[in-house]
């Protein structure tokens, strides 16, 4: 059986490109704009999680109050049942806003969190660049 085929005798599945995958993933939840994410975090209604790699954080700065979690650690740090979770990751009902640089990798990361049962996970449309472009705080 090849990676793009189903069980023996079935029709092979068409490979999905990244643009189509992103479209499918994003159809499964409501994304959030920068201003709304800022207000939700200020009100204590959302946990902001920055998954950008170190060089981008050093170059562009940080969102005050956002938790920096490397992408390869995200699921372990946010799983409420995990032994390596952030102290704030206490419930599957937690509203999490994943932030990458431009809003692409964060969509895939939010989908992964949904698979862990974190049904309120979302991502920031336009990522950190949209946050900064909206004139929101950066340190």
């Amino acid at each position: 059986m090849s990676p793009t085929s189903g069980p023996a005798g079935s029709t092979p599945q068409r490979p999905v490109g990244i643009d189509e995958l992103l479209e499918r993933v994003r159809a499964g939840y409501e994304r959030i704009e920068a201003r709304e994410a800022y207000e939700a975090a200020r009100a204590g209604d959302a946990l902001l999680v920055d998954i950008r790699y170190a060089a981008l954080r050093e170059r562009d700065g940080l969102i005050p109050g956002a938790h920096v979690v490397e992408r390869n650690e995200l699921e372990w740090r946010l799983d409420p049942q995990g032994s390596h979770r952030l102290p704030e990751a206490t419930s599957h009902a937690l509203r999490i806003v994943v932030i990458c640089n431009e809003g692409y990798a964060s969509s895939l990361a939010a989908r992964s969190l949904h698979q862990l049962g974190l049904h309120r996970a979302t991502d920031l449309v336009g990522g950190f660049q949209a946050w900064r472009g909206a004139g929101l705080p950066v340190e």
Side-chain angles (χ1 to χ4, degrees), residues 6 9-10 27-28 34 36 39-43 53 69-70 72 76 78 81 93 97 105 113 115 127 135:
S10 69
E36 183 182 354
E39 295 299 335
R42 279 190 49 192
Y53 54 90
V69 178
E70 297 288 336
N72 63 328
W76 285 267
L78 294 174
Q81 300 174 42
V97 179
L113 295 178
Q115 291 174 317

Side-chain angles (χ1 to χ4, degrees), residues 5-137:
S5 67
S10 69
T11 305
Q13 296 176 0
R14 179 182 60 81
V16 176
I18 189 61
D19 293 331
E20 184 177 343
L21 178 61
L22 276 173
E23 187 177 315
R24 289 180 185 181
V25 164
R26 290 171 175 169
Y29 65 92
E30 190 172 326
R31 301 177 78 206
I32 191 170
E33 298 286 339
R35 178 70 51 192
E36 183 182 354
Y38 172 73
E39 295 299 335
R42 279 190 49 192
D45 294 332
L47 183 71
L48 303 180
V49 179
D50 186 343
I51 63 169
R52 293 175 300 142
Y53 54 90
L56 289 176
R57 294 191 311 265
E58 291 169 10
R59 182 189 77 189
D60 295 336
L62 300 168
I63 295 172
H67 294 269
V68 173
V69 178
E70 297 288 336
R71 175 61 189 97
N72 63 328
E73 298 179 358
L74 185 69
E75 292 81 0
W76 285 267
R77 303 293 282 151
L78 294 174
D79 179 2
Q81 300 174 42
S83 58
H84 299 291
R85 69 177 176 79
L86 291 173
E88 296 82 359
T90 58
S91 166
H92 284 90
L94 181 64
R95 186 177 188 194
I96 298 166
V97 179
V98 183
I99 303 164
C100 68
N101 193 49
E102 294 181 344
Y104 295 99
S106 57
S107 294
L108 299 176
R111 172 66 177 135
S112 181
L113 295 178
H114 278 245
Q115 291 174 317
L116 286 176
L118 295 158
H119 62 276
R120 295 184 68 210
T122 187
D123 76 310
L124 184 65
V125 175
F128 178 86
Q129 298 306 321
W131 179 281
R132 185 171 63 182
L136 295 170

